[in-house]
Amino acid sequence: MTTFIIRRLMQSVVVIVLMSGIVFFGVNVVGNPVDMLVNPEADQADIEASIRALGLDRPIGEQYLYFIKGVFSGDFGKSYIFGEPALRLIFQRMPATFELAFTALIMAITLGIPLGLYAGLKPDTRISKTIMAGSILGFSLPTFWVGLMLIMVFAVMLGWLPSTGRGELGTVFGITSSLFTLNGLSHILLPALNLALTKISLVTRLTRAGTREVVHQDYIKFARAKGLSNRRIVSVHILKNILIPVVTVIGLEFGSLLAFSVVTETVFAWPGMGKLLIDSIQLLDRPVVVAYLIVIVFVFVILNLIVDIVYSILDPRVRLGDAGK
Amino acid sequence: MTTSGNESIGTETVPSEDSGSVLKESPLARFWSDFSDSKVAVGALLVLIVIILAAVMAPLITPQDPYDLAQVDVLDGRLPPGEKSYNGYTFILGSDGAGRDLYSAILYGLRISLSVGVISGLLALFFGSAIGLLAAYAGGRTETLIMRFVDIQLSFPAILIALILVAIFGKGVDKIILALIIVQWAYYARTVRGSALVEKQKEYVDAAASLGLSHARIVFRHIFPNCVAPLIVVGTVQTANAISLEATLSFLGVGLPQTEPSLGLLISNGFEYMLSGRYWISFFPGVALLLTIVSINLVGDQLRDVLNPRLQR
Amino acid sequence: MNTVQPALAVDRLRTHFFTKAGTVKAVDDVSFSVNSGEVLGIVGESGSGKSVTGFSILGLLDPPGEIVTGSIKFQGEELVGAGARRMRSLRGNRIAMIFQDPMMTLNPVLRIDTQMKETIKAHRNLSDRESYEESLKALDLVGIPSPPERLKNYPHQMSGGMRQRIAIAIAFLNKPDVIIADEPTTALDVTIQSQIIHEAQMLCEKTGTALIWITHDLSVIAGLADRICVMYAGRIVETGLTNEIIDRPQHPYTQGLIGSVPSHNKRGKRLFQIPGMTPSLLNLPRGCAFKSRCNYADQVCGKAPEITSVGEGRYIRCHHPAPERVAG
């Protein structure tokens, strides 16, 4: 098991280095490095001073090392628009994005698994077929459009929920989040739902497939032969078996949620990293863009690593190996 | 001897009067009868055909070319569906902020969305398949290296990769298409490599090799045709994804430029009017996008069931 | 307790599967009974409907299977048509089942103690501690060494023989009156097989449990059962005391089965084989199902034979029963 972890750790490091290399070379070789990192609005003397300060007149290899050094010390340069260090801006916005992604994940699990279980246990009922049809719609519909429609219906037409922005923050046990106030909840409901929609469909389909496979196994028949109640069979025997692949996917999908939040945050004007990214791309605020990309690649790789480890813990067959024979 | 439509021909042979043919139905006919088992899929296929035709014939069936400034009058702007314009024709689906007929704008937008999606899809298919075939056939370290690369790319969500590429390349139709190709090739590569590997194990490949056929011939004439089925399935789903991704990028303002208004751009243009209740500017282009994507997905779903060799009846 | 009444009495049971391809008559007129402390062997080839009989008794038929007619009486209580609740309270409690493949019958992601304790708690109001103690005792009963450690194990950590012993232990947990064992030793090594058969025999004698042992292997059942039913194509074709069936079989199929047992054979002589194949239960021939493979069939056999009694507790379904014939 430990060798497994170490190997995965090393792979992760390789990927991070690779991706940062791609981002770096992409920015500095494909694009015009001067425009990337120096504010084009500044006057000529400033530009030349900046070029020298940033080392853009040095050979590319040296620039890369300088860049890596900057990454490790958290220095990505300053945002053109805000004037603050790019990394700090991102960290400021991170909690909002994580909050959104986390809420969406909870929604995906609490809605997707029961729906999938039902559709898997009773596949021929009308409700099941509706659920499956709904799930196809769920991942076909473009997220941004659904977001617009949600705003249209619930905020404009019905006036039940606010249309944009993040609500008030509350603090519980030292964690500050808008989930802890009623106002905050009303603001997060629509965007989280929007973000969660694709994942709910995914989890539903996955759970259903897993349930259908497990239900026909002999050990379920044996459980029935022992006279166990249906509730126990579903909640313990079936659930534990399908949970393993589902958890793996959910873990990976959290990363995807973080990436997709870009869209939801734009539609709902949610002050997170994603919105910052889009604004920065449009305003050509390159340092922030680079910082975001590196940060999210990093988060991703860590996430994959954690999921791999958790999977090997959850499945006792992997964890304990084949002992007696 | 006639066969009723309900009999599954499958692998049974039906004795027939002419000595030549053994199967009564051609593969194409059989494919169609399997496919049409799902009425939903057939319906989706019809919708898709209508959409494609409408997009192709756009200049012929729209009252207005929404990008010809001479035909557009801003005083016509923001009219709800059903209102008439200055020139007398009806805005079936309303007009947008600049006075463009939404119906026309949608059809023209469809052209762009579809062509970008399909072109990038086809090119990604081409390159992805080539790489996948190479990996499967070459084997050894080449294969491991290529597939490791594919796995890493596939572990990141498409939108993230697209954003990275857009940030690097900047705006422009060709750059967006390039970005879409780079996002998609990995799916094709993985699919093709998977089925090529299965084929490679089969005996006829050894037979062909022992006959001294060249590598190229073995790969293209023997292995590749058997990979076509899963490729078609992945192709439909990926095209839907590409169209959706392009729309998302355009909506966010980092996709196609204003000069090539795809459906995504139309929707984003209508965003500002949403809060004042003028929903149609975003709503109808969205519906068009939806219909396209959903119908492609439905058709792809049924294709997957029909072409799956393990479900052969 | 009424000693005259059998623990389980099946009368003219018919279980059919209504599939799109047609009706599969898996069990087509099966009758037998078993008393407390008795071992009944049901012998038949695969596809003869023996497993379905077991599932029918427990009410574990999956659709499209249904019990069409017949009665199953457990200690006089009719089970056919009994509510789901009643069936569930009986399963694992008063009537237990042991399946064939030990690997598949234990849930791979749950510990052994979980799987044992839940069986107890589903039917009796015992605390966690008490259920644990009972589980330990049951493992002892089937001769498993160091039970506390075994309880903490997962199924894949044990050998096939051990797993099957656990399945047997689980069956005995609530001290049932009837146990149905569906080919429990088929997947095991021959040496383990005889051990387990021996242990099962002793357990049933000790506890007075009625045991129905379903198998395709006549030699396995010969040493274990008190009485034997022979099944063919969904029907019982011969019933009687084990000695009688083995030494003086009357049905041609039974004779064929016995003739084909290697130990029965003289050295050097060709092993007897019943010609032909089991008919598909979807397409049963008219008349006697064994007709096409029988050397003694004639026109009379075009009409399906009924069960007739040829002695005390001895039944046969054949137009030409004959004890003197020996196959081979």
Side-chain angles (χ1 to χ4, degrees), chain A residues 11 15 18-19 22 26-27 30-31 136-137 139-142 144-145 148-149 151-152 156 163 205 256 259-260 262-263 266-267 277-278 281-282 286 289 292-293 296-297 300-301 304, chain B residues 148-149 152 155-157 159-160 163-164 166-169 244 247-248 251-254 264 267 271 274-279 282-287 289-290 293-294 297-298 301 304:
Chain A
Q11 277 178 2
V15 172
L18 198 70
M19 289 306 279
I22 291 179
V27 162
V30 177
I136 293 192
L137 267 187
F139 67 71
S140 301
L141 299 178
F144 67 95
W145 188 78
L148 287 181
M149 289 303 115
I151 294 183
M152 194 67 230
V156 179
S163 59
R205 289 177 81 90
S256 158
F260 257 96
V262 168
V263 178
T266 307
V267 171
L277 174 73
I278 296 297
I281 292 182
Q282 286 178 333
R286 307 281 179 172
V289 173
Y292 176 92
L293 293 177
I296 209 154
V297 164
F300 246 82
V301 170
N304 274 343
Chain B
R148 187 53 56 87
F149 203 67
I152 292 181
S155 68
F156 289 95
I159 191 166
L160 190 62
L163 286 173
I164 294 179
V166 156
I168 295 177
F169 293 140
S244 182
T248 307
F251 172 81
L252 293 174
V254 295
I267 299 177
F271 189 21
M274 287 269 299
L275 295 176
S276 56
R278 294 190 178 90
Y279 66 92
S282 283
F283 183 68
F284 289 119
V287 169
L289 187 64
L290 208 118
I293 297 178
V294 169
N297 271 333
L298 286 175
D301 236 21
R304 182 189 303 130

Side-chain angles (χ1 to χ4, degrees), chain C:
Chain C
M1 188 169 68
N2 191 345
T3 45
V4 176
Q5 184 172 260
L8 192 73
V10 175
D11 189 42
R12 299 179 125 65
L13 180 67
R14 283 181 210 269
T15 302
H16 295 173
F17 284 76
F18 299 99
T19 70
K20 289 191 202 130
T23 306
V24 178
K25 298 188 180 158
V27 176
D28 205 31
D29 188 16
V30 161
S31 310
F32 60 81
S33 67
V34 58
N35 297 317
S36 304
E38 192 183 33
V39 179
L40 174 72
I42 300 187
V43 182
E45 304 170 10
S46 43
S48 58
K50 40 196 214 303
S51 295
V52 178
T53 310
F55 291 135
S56 303
I57 297 176
L58 274 175
L60 282 182
L61 290 172
D62 286 326
E66 275 180 48
I67 297 183
V68 176
T69 64
S71 112
I72 303 175
K73 286 211 172 86
F74 169 66
Q75 293 177 343
E77 178 191 344
E78 179 62 64
L79 294 185
V80 176
R85 237 211 184 143
R86 178 66 186 146
M87 287 311 296
R88 189 169 78 70
S89 74
L90 290 174
R91 281 188 225 127
N93 192 15
R94 311 257 49 80
I95 311 178
M97 191 155 178
I98 302 173
F99 287 47
Q100 174 176 336
D101 187 351
M103 184 47 171
M104 284 319 297
T105 54
L106 294 172
N107 194 330
V109 301
L110 295 175
R111 284 188 356 187
I112 299 295
D113 60 354
T114 314
Q115 304 194 46
M116 291 189 82
K117 288 194 289 191
E118 66 182 358
T119 317
I120 300 178
K121 290 202 213 167
H123 300 289
R124 290 187 277 163
N125 222 347
L126 291 173
S127 74
D128 199 66
R129 185 81 219 159
E130 288 165 330
S131 313
Y132 181 75
E133 299 291 330
E134 292 272 320
S135 308
L136 278 179
K137 276 194 255 170
L139 289 185
D140 240 350
L141 200 66
V142 291
I144 290 185
S146 42
E149 263 144 57
R150 292 283 155 261
L151 282 179
K152 290 212 199 66
N153 284 149
Y154 286 88
H156 68 273
Q157 291 175 291
M158 301 187 289
S159 67
M162 190 90 81
R163 283 194 284 261
Q164 197 62 307
R165 282 206 173 93
I166 299 218
I168 296 177
I170 293 182
F172 273 101
L173 272 176
N174 291 321
K175 308 215 185 348
D177 301 309
V178 177
I179 291 188
I180 305 173
D182 188 1
E183 307 238 35
T185 53
T186 309
L188 303 173
D189 299 336
V190 172
T191 36
I192 312 274
Q193 253 187 44
S194 30
Q195 270 178 27
I196 294 203
I197 293 174
H198 179 66
E199 279 161 20
Q201 201 167 26
M202 298 224 307
L203 272 175
C204 284
E205 267 176 33
K206 212 172 13 173
T207 56
T209 313
L211 178 63
I212 301 178
W213 190 286
I214 303 176
T215 180
H216 66 275
D217 191 346
L218 198 54
S219 50
V220 157
I221 205 63
L224 171 66
D226 300 313
R227 289 190 302 126
I228 294 185
C229 287
V230 180
M231 260 186 95
Y232 186 77
R235 298 183 182 130
I236 304 243
V237 295
E238 187 159 6
T239 307
L241 291 176
T242 308
N243 306 340
E244 293 173 359
I245 301 267
I246 304 287
D247 295 334
R248 280 184 311 279
Q250 296 200 23
H251 194 282
Y253 176 62
T254 321
Q255 290 165 348
L257 277 185
I258 297 197
S260 57
V261 173
S263 51
H264 241 253
N265 216 21
K266 289 200 183 38
R267 270 182 87 95
K269 199 155 167 259
R270 202 194 183 99
L271 195 59
F272 177 74
Q273 228 189 356
I274 309 176
M277 282 198 335
T278 343
S280 144
L281 291 172
L282 197 54
N283 258 330
L284 284 174
R286 266 225 191 102
C288 175
F290 190 61
K291 192 174 53 169
S292 55
R293 306 169 75 182
C294 185
N295 286 336
Y296 314 100
D298 60 19
Q299 263 168 324
V300 158
C301 304
K303 182 166 169 315
E306 292 294 326
I307 289 265
T308 44
S309 170
V310 288
E312 171 79 35
R314 191 93 167 81
Y315 298 95
I316 201 116
R317 187 195 292 269
C318 183
H319 292 300
H320 305 292
E324 315 79 37
R325 282 192 312 251
V326 170

Side-chain angles (χ1 to χ4, degrees), chain A residues 217 219 222 226 232 237 241, chain C residues 92 104-105 107 115 118 123:
Chain A
Q217 299 285 354
Y219 53 80
F222 189 56
K226 291 198 292 192
R232 173 140 185 120
H237 287 256
N241 268 284
Chain C
M104 284 319 297
T105 54
N107 194 330
Q115 304 194 46
E118 66 182 358
H123 300 289

Side-chain angles (χ1 to χ4, degrees), chain A residues 229-244:
Chain A
S229 69
N230 265 341
R231 185 205 264 171
R232 173 140 185 120
I233 295 182
V234 171
S235 62
V236 174
H237 287 256
I238 295 186
L239 205 59
K240 189 124 194 252
N241 268 284
I242 58 178
L243 223 47
I244 298 171

